[in-house]
């Protein structure tokens, strides 16, 4: 007899014990996905997106108005570096705003897709069977009828179908009719949620493939739609210069209508007269550009968003060369259009010349104080200080046209050793001391701040807004209701062939279904004679 020795059986490897609540990577990923795609998270992200947009409404944005942004930065030199690090001057292009935007998109899509299948199943589900005791429902009615049970149920089906109710398929032995309406309320909820995604996609398309830019254009100037003509230009991540429409327009006239109010004199209306061509060689057309009345050329929208004055200043250096000449836009400081501006002459000899000061549209000296008493240019005066030396114009770093770097410059003094102040009316010329040159105030031209934008997804965004309104109206005004009618044979005591019970239920809560019972009762009374209804 041969004895075989079996190999020793190795015990199974011990599974490390998991602590309570510990999740493996797959379970953790599933949990995070469920948290992200919950409706609560979507609402929180939507609130965060709204809060994140607040700085974009309070702080000047470079993509909207670079002039106002430059002025704010000059007035707040301490806060400017902090705001730049936080991207508060371009909120909608910042990484943190984009992160909230993308998370909201993922959350909404992950939340809406499962709910879509739930809604579809709910729409296809037939109305439920009738409760055992309809008289226990808050709204019900019962009465006797002279018709048979089958006639009562058939008549109830006809009445409810005429009123737009969907019926539960009849089966042998049923002594009731079950009907429901208001399924489109759920569709309205779904359409509203889908509309949010559509709006976000529309905004995303505009941000990726569109652009926004601005330019300050003086009266009599011509603008060609090329990137070099813009004072500021914010393209989308996927924008291509080939998308720009090849239009050209000239700024011919500018008209302002002033109105006196309790707050002073304000511009009631202003418009810029333009002459433009859609593309080279096409016929010229005219257009009066006004606020809230943009000009659309191809896919580009042209908006008038501001105006001011541009004094025409000519500067000659000590050698008699004309080193600066042309309209210089000054920025309005208040409603009186008291304006601030800077002139820089880097090529002046023997030293660079910088001018910084104020423009008074209607100058008047009141109790020794210079004021502008009216925003129209009725008595214009130019009052500027003069600097010479190194104005920081030879370094490669960019410099705002409304900021004069005076760190290494010297302020020019008059014969009395006081800071020189040039006060010039139209046509006057001032000679600078030490053979620096001359400054002439030639005339005044109005300027306009024009914004250009191309937003490819605006039609989709509009569609999303319309869908949101439709979905919201459906959710608010469509009331899902269920109605049951039960019929059973009557007794000899009440003298009715059939006893009828009717009940209605408002599924949205708070709805009054008593009129529904009355209307169904009225329809039933149109049937052959029966016993009177009793509660």
């Amino acid at each position: 007899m041969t004895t075989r020795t079996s190999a020793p059986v190795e015990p199974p490897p011990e599974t490390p014990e998991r602590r309570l609540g510990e999740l493996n990577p797959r379970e953790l990923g599933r949990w995070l996905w469920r948290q992200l795609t919950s409706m609560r998270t979507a609402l929180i992200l939507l609130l965060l997106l709204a809060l994140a947009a607040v700085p974009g409404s309070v702080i000047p944005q470079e993509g909207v108005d670079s002039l106002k942004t430059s002025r704010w930065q000059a007035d707040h030199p301490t806060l400017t570096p902090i705001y730049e690090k936080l991207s508060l001057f371009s909120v909608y292009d910042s990484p943190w705003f984009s992160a909230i935007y993308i998370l909201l998109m993922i959350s909404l899509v992950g939340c809406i897709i499962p709910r879509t299948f739930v809604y579809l199943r709910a729409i296809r589900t037939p109305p439920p069977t009738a409760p055992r005791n309809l008289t226990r429902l808050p709204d019900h009615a019962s009465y006797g009828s002279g018709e048979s049970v089958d006639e009562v149920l058939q008549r109830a089906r006809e009445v409810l179908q005429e009123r737009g109710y969907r019926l539960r398929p009849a089966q042998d032995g049923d002594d009731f009719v079950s009907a429901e309406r208001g399924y489109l309320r759920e569709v309205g909820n779904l359409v509203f949620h889908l509309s949010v995604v559509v709006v976000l996609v529309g905004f995303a398309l505009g941000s990726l493939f569109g652009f926004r830019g601005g330019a300050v254009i003086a009266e009599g100037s011509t603008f060609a739609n090329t990137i070099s003509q813009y004072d500021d230009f914010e393209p989308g991540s996927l924008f291509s210069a080939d998308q720009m429409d090849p239009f050209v327009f000239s700024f011919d006239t500018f008209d302002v209508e002033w109105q006196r109010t309790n707050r002073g004199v304000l511009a009631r209306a202003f418009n810029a007269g333009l002459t433009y061509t859609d593309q080279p060689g096409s016929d010229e057309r005219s257009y009066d550009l006004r606020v809230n009345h943009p000009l659309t050329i191809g896919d580009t929208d042209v908006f008038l968003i501001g105006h001011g004055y541009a004094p025409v200043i000519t500067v000659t250096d000590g050698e008699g060369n004309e080193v600066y000449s042309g309209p210089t836009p000054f920025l309005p400081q208040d409603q009186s259009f008291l304006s601030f501006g800077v002139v820089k002459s880097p090529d002046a000899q023997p030293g660079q010349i910088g001018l910084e000061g104020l423009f008074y549209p209607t100058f008047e000296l009141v109790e020794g104080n210079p004021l502008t008493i009216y925003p129209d240019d009725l008595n214009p005066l130019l009052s500027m200080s003069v600097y010479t030396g190194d104005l920081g114009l030879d370094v490669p770093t960019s410099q705002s046209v409304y900021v004069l770097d005076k760190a290494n410059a010297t302020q020019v003094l008059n014969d009395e050793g006081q800071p020189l102040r040039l006060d010039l009316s139209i046509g006057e010329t001032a000679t600078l001391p030490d053979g620096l040159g001359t400054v002439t105030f030639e005339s005044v031209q109005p300027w306009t701040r024009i914004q250009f934008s191309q937003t490819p997804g605006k039609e989709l965004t509009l569609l999303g807004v319309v869908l949101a309104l439709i979905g919201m109206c459906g959710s608010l005004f469509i009331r899902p209701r269920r109605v049951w009618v039960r019929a059973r044979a009557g007794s000899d005591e009440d003298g009715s062939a059939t006893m009828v019970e009717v009940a209605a239920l408002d599924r949205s809560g708070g709805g009054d279904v008593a009129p529904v019972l009355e209307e169904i009762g009225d329809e039933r009374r149109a049937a052959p004679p029966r016993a009177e209804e009793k509660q």
Side-chain angles (χ1 to χ4, degrees), residues 286-318:
S286 300
Y287 188 83
D288 286 335
L289 189 64
R290 295 172 292 162
V291 176
N292 298 326
H293 292 78
L295 169 64
T296 300
I297 308 176
D299 296 326
T300 306
D301 295 320
V302 182
F303 299 88
L304 176 63
I305 62 174
H307 68 103
Y309 293 104
V312 179
I313 302 171
T314 299
V315 179
T316 60
D317 63 8

CSV table of all heavy atoms in Angstrom, one decimal, residues 286-318:
chain,number,residue,atom,x,y,z
A,286,SER,N,-24.0,105.4,-44.1
A,286,SER,CA,-24.0,106.3,-43.0
A,286,SER,C,-24.8,105.7,-41.8
A,286,SER,O,-25.8,105.0,-42.0
A,286,SER,CB,-24.5,107.7,-43.3
A,286,SER,OG,-23.7,108.3,-44.3
A,287,TYR,N,-24.4,106.0,-40.6
A,287,TYR,CA,-25.1,105.5,-39.4
A,287,TYR,C,-24.8,106.4,-38.3
A,287,TYR,O,-23.7,106.9,-38.0
A,287,TYR,CB,-24.6,104.1,-39.1
A,287,TYR,CG,-25.4,103.4,-38.0
A,287,TYR,CD1,-26.6,102.8,-38.3
A,287,TYR,CD2,-25.0,103.5,-36.7
A,287,TYR,CE1,-27.4,102.2,-37.3
A,287,TYR,CE2,-25.8,102.8,-35.7
A,287,TYR,CZ,-27.0,102.2,-36.0
A,287,TYR,OH,-27.7,101.6,-35.1
A,288,ASP,N,-25.9,106.7,-37.5
A,288,ASP,CA,-25.8,107.5,-36.3
A,288,ASP,C,-25.7,106.6,-35.1
A,288,ASP,O,-26.6,105.9,-34.7
A,288,ASP,CB,-27.0,108.5,-36.1
A,288,ASP,CG,-27.0,109.6,-37.1
A,288,ASP,OD1,-25.9,110.0,-37.5
A,288,ASP,OD2,-28.1,110.2,-37.4
A,289,LEU,N,-24.5,106.5,-34.6
A,289,LEU,CA,-24.2,105.5,-33.5
A,289,LEU,C,-24.6,106.2,-32.2
A,289,LEU,O,-24.1,107.3,-31.8
A,289,LEU,CB,-22.7,105.2,-33.5
A,289,LEU,CG,-22.3,104.1,-32.5
A,289,LEU,CD1,-22.9,102.7,-32.9
A,289,LEU,CD2,-20.7,103.9,-32.5
A,290,ARG,N,-25.5,105.5,-31.5
A,290,ARG,CA,-26.0,106.1,-30.2
A,290,ARG,C,-25.9,105.0,-29.1
A,290,ARG,O,-25.7,103.8,-29.4
A,290,ARG,CB,-27.5,106.5,-30.3
A,290,ARG,CG,-27.7,107.7,-31.3
A,290,ARG,CD,-29.2,107.9,-31.5
A,290,ARG,NE,-29.8,106.8,-32.3
A,290,ARG,CZ,-31.1,106.6,-32.3
A,290,ARG,NH1,-31.9,107.4,-31.6
A,290,ARG,NH2,-31.5,105.6,-33.0
A,291,VAL,N,-26.1,105.4,-27.9
A,291,VAL,CA,-26.1,104.5,-26.7
A,291,VAL,C,-27.3,103.6,-26.9
A,291,VAL,O,-28.4,104.0,-27.2
A,291,VAL,CB,-26.1,105.3,-25.4
A,291,VAL,CG1,-26.2,104.3,-24.2
A,291,VAL,CG2,-24.9,106.2,-25.3
A,292,ASN,N,-27.0,102.3,-26.7
A,292,ASN,CA,-28.1,101.2,-26.8
A,292,ASN,C,-28.6,101.1,-28.2
A,292,ASN,O,-29.6,100.4,-28.4
A,292,ASN,CB,-29.2,101.5,-25.8
A,292,ASN,CG,-28.8,101.5,-24.4
A,292,ASN,OD1,-27.9,100.8,-24.0
A,292,ASN,ND2,-29.4,102.3,-23.6
A,293,HIS,N,-27.9,101.7,-29.2
A,293,HIS,CA,-28.3,101.5,-30.6
A,293,HIS,C,-27.0,101.1,-31.4
A,293,HIS,O,-26.4,101.9,-32.1
A,293,HIS,CB,-28.9,102.7,-31.2
A,293,HIS,CG,-30.3,103.0,-30.6
A,293,HIS,ND1,-30.5,103.6,-29.4
A,293,HIS,CD2,-31.5,102.7,-31.1
A,293,HIS,CE1,-31.8,103.7,-29.2
A,293,HIS,NE2,-32.4,103.2,-30.2
A,294,PRO,N,-26.5,99.9,-31.2
A,294,PRO,CA,-25.2,99.5,-31.8
A,294,PRO,C,-25.3,99.3,-33.3
A,294,PRO,O,-26.4,99.1,-33.8
A,294,PRO,CB,-24.8,98.2,-31.1
A,294,PRO,CG,-26.2,97.6,-30.7
A,294,PRO,CD,-27.0,98.8,-30.3
A,295,LEU,N,-24.2,99.4,-33.9
A,295,LEU,CA,-24.1,99.2,-35.4
A,295,LEU,C,-23.5,97.8,-35.5
A,295,LEU,O,-22.5,97.4,-34.9
A,295,LEU,CB,-23.2,100.2,-36.0
A,295,LEU,CG,-22.7,99.9,-37.5
A,295,LEU,CD1,-23.9,99.9,-38.4
A,295,LEU,CD2,-21.7,101.0,-37.9
A,296,THR,N,-24.2,96.9,-36.3
A,296,THR,CA,-23.7,95.6,-36.6
A,296,THR,C,-23.1,95.5,-38.0
A,296,THR,O,-23.8,95.8,-39.0
A,296,THR,CB,-24.8,94.6,-36.4
A,296,THR,OG1,-25.3,94.6,-35.1
A,296,THR,CG2,-24.3,93.2,-36.7
A,297,ILE,N,-21.8,95.2,-38.1
A,297,ILE,CA,-21.2,95.1,-39.4
A,297,ILE,C,-20.7,93.6,-39.5
A,297,ILE,O,-19.7,93.3,-38.8
A,297,ILE,CB,-20.0,96.1,-39.6
A,297,ILE,CG1,-20.5,97.5,-39.3
A,297,ILE,CG2,-19.4,96.0,-41.0
A,297,ILE,CD1,-19.4,98.5,-39.3
A,298,GLY,N,-21.3,92.8,-40.3
A,298,GLY,CA,-20.9,91.4,-40.4
A,298,GLY,C,-21.2,90.7,-39.1
A,298,GLY,O,-22.4,90.8,-38.6
A,299,ASP,N,-20.2,90.2,-38.4
A,299,ASP,CA,-20.4,89.5,-37.1
A,299,ASP,C,-19.9,90.4,-36.0
A,299,ASP,O,-19.9,89.9,-34.8
A,299,ASP,CB,-19.6,88.2,-37.1
A,299,ASP,CG,-20.2,87.2,-38.1
A,299,ASP,OD1,-21.4,87.2,-38.3
A,299,ASP,OD2,-19.4,86.4,-38.6
A,300,THR,N,-19.6,91.7,-36.3
A,300,THR,CA,-19.1,92.5,-35.3
A,300,THR,C,-20.1,93.6,-34.8
A,300,THR,O,-20.7,94.2,-35.7
A,300,THR,CB,-17.8,93.3,-35.8
A,300,THR,OG1,-16.9,92.3,-36.3
A,300,THR,CG2,-17.2,94.1,-34.7
A,301,ASP,N,-20.2,93.8,-33.5
A,301,ASP,CA,-21.1,94.8,-33.0
A,301,ASP,C,-20.3,96.0,-32.5
A,301,ASP,O,-19.3,95.8,-31.8
A,301,ASP,CB,-21.9,94.2,-31.8
A,301,ASP,CG,-22.9,93.1,-32.2
A,301,ASP,OD1,-23.5,93.3,-33.3
A,301,ASP,OD2,-23.0,92.1,-31.5
A,302,VAL,N,-20.7,97.2,-32.9
A,302,VAL,CA,-20.0,98.4,-32.6
A,302,VAL,C,-20.9,99.2,-31.6
A,302,VAL,O,-22.0,99.5,-31.9
A,302,VAL,CB,-19.7,99.2,-33.8
A,302,VAL,CG1,-18.9,100.5,-33.5
A,302,VAL,CG2,-19.0,98.4,-34.8
A,303,PHE,N,-20.4,99.5,-30.4
A,303,PHE,CA,-21.1,100.2,-29.4
A,303,PHE,C,-20.5,101.5,-29.0
A,303,PHE,O,-19.2,101.6,-29.0
A,303,PHE,CB,-21.2,99.4,-28.1
A,303,PHE,CG,-21.9,98.0,-28.2
A,303,PHE,CD1,-21.1,96.9,-28.6
A,303,PHE,CD2,-23.2,97.9,-28.0
A,303,PHE,CE1,-21.7,95.7,-28.7
A,303,PHE,CE2,-23.8,96.6,-28.1
A,303,PHE,CZ,-23.1,95.5,-28.5
A,304,LEU,N,-21.3,102.5,-28.8
A,304,LEU,CA,-20.8,103.8,-28.3
A,304,LEU,C,-21.0,103.8,-26.8
A,304,LEU,O,-22.2,103.7,-26.3
A,304,LEU,CB,-21.6,105.0,-28.9
A,304,LEU,CG,-21.3,106.4,-28.4
A,304,LEU,CD1,-19.9,106.8,-28.7
A,304,LEU,CD2,-22.3,107.4,-29.0
A,305,ILE,N,-19.9,103.9,-26.0
A,305,ILE,CA,-20.1,103.8,-24.5
A,305,ILE,C,-19.5,105.0,-23.8
A,305,ILE,O,-19.6,105.0,-22.5
A,305,ILE,CB,-19.3,102.5,-24.0
A,305,ILE,CG1,-17.8,102.6,-24.3
A,305,ILE,CG2,-19.9,101.3,-24.6
A,305,ILE,CD1,-17.1,101.4,-23.7
A,306,GLY,N,-19.0,106.0,-24.4
A,306,GLY,CA,-18.5,107.1,-23.7
A,306,GLY,C,-18.0,108.2,-24.6
A,306,GLY,O,-17.8,108.0,-25.8
A,307,HIS,N,-17.7,109.4,-24.1
A,307,HIS,CA,-17.2,110.5,-24.9
A,307,HIS,C,-16.5,111.5,-24.0
A,307,HIS,O,-16.6,111.4,-22.7
A,307,HIS,CB,-18.4,111.2,-25.6
A,307,HIS,CG,-19.3,112.0,-24.7
A,307,HIS,ND1,-19.3,113.3,-24.6
A,307,HIS,CD2,-20.3,111.5,-23.9
A,307,HIS,CE1,-20.3,113.7,-23.7
A,307,HIS,NE2,-20.9,112.6,-23.3
A,308,GLY,N,-15.8,112.4,-24.6
A,308,GLY,CA,-15.0,113.4,-23.9
A,308,GLY,C,-14.4,114.4,-24.9
A,308,GLY,O,-14.8,114.5,-26.0
A,309,TYR,N,-13.4,115.1,-24.4
A,309,TYR,CA,-12.7,116.1,-25.2
A,309,TYR,C,-11.3,115.8,-25.4
A,309,TYR,O,-10.6,115.2,-24.6
A,309,TYR,CB,-12.8,117.5,-24.5
A,309,TYR,CG,-14.2,118.0,-24.4
A,309,TYR,CD1,-14.9,118.0,-23.2
A,309,TYR,CD2,-14.9,118.5,-25.6
A,309,TYR,CE1,-16.2,118.5,-23.1
A,309,TYR,CE2,-16.2,119.0,-25.5
A,309,TYR,CZ,-16.9,119.0,-24.3
A,309,TYR,OH,-18.1,119.5,-24.2
A,310,ALA,N,-10.8,116.1,-26.6
A,310,ALA,CA,-9.4,115.9,-27.0
A,310,ALA,C,-8.8,117.2,-27.5
A,310,ALA,O,-9.0,117.6,-28.7
A,310,ALA,CB,-9.3,114.9,-28.1
A,311,PRO,N,-8.2,118.0,-26.6
A,311,PRO,CA,-7.5,119.2,-27.1
A,311,PRO,C,-6.4,118.9,-28.1
A,311,PRO,O,-5.7,118.0,-28.0
A,311,PRO,CB,-6.9,119.8,-25.8
A,311,PRO,CG,-7.7,119.1,-24.7
A,311,PRO,CD,-8.0,117.8,-25.2
A,312,VAL,N,-6.4,119.7,-29.1
A,312,VAL,CA,-5.3,119.6,-30.2
A,312,VAL,C,-4.1,120.4,-29.7
A,312,VAL,O,-4.2,121.6,-29.6
A,312,VAL,CB,-5.8,120.0,-31.5
A,312,VAL,CG1,-4.7,119.9,-32.6
A,312,VAL,CG2,-7.1,119.2,-31.9
A,313,ILE,N,-3.0,119.7,-29.4
A,313,ILE,CA,-1.9,120.4,-28.8
A,313,ILE,C,-0.7,120.2,-29.7
A,313,ILE,O,-0.5,119.1,-30.3
A,313,ILE,CB,-1.6,119.8,-27.4
A,313,ILE,CG1,-2.8,120.0,-26.5
A,313,ILE,CG2,-0.3,120.4,-26.8
A,313,ILE,CD1,-2.7,119.2,-25.2
A,314,THR,N,0.1,121.2,-29.9
A,314,THR,CA,1.3,121.2,-30.7
A,314,THR,C,2.5,121.5,-29.8
A,314,THR,O,2.5,122.6,-29.1
A,314,THR,CB,1.3,122.1,-31.9
A,314,THR,OG1,0.2,121.7,-32.8
A,314,THR,CG2,2.6,122.0,-32.7
A,315,VAL,N,3.6,120.7,-29.8
A,315,VAL,CA,4.8,120.9,-29.0
A,315,VAL,C,6.0,121.0,-30.0
A,315,VAL,O,6.2,120.1,-30.8
A,315,VAL,CB,5.0,119.8,-28.0
A,315,VAL,CG1,6.3,120.1,-27.2
A,315,VAL,CG2,3.8,119.7,-27.0
A,316,THR,N,6.8,122.1,-29.8
A,316,THR,CA,8.0,122.2,-30.6
A,316,THR,C,9.2,122.2,-29.5
A,316,THR,O,9.0,122.7,-28.4
A,316,THR,CB,8.1,123.5,-31.4
A,316,THR,OG1,8.0,124.6,-30.5
A,316,THR,CG2,7.0,123.5,-32.4
A,317,ASP,N,10.3,121.6,-29.9
A,317,ASP,CA,11.4,121.5,-28.9
A,317,ASP,C,12.3,122.7,-29.1
A,317,ASP,O,12.0,123.7,-29.8
A,317,ASP,CB,12.2,120.2,-29.1
A,317,ASP,CG,12.8,120.1,-30.5
A,317,ASP,OD1,12.8,121.1,-31.3
A,317,ASP,OD2,13.4,119.1,-30.8
A,318,GLY,N,13.4,122.7,-28.4
A,318,GLY,CA,14.3,123.9,-28.4
A,318,GLY,C,15.0,124.1,-29.7
A,318,GLY,O,15.5,125.2,-29.9
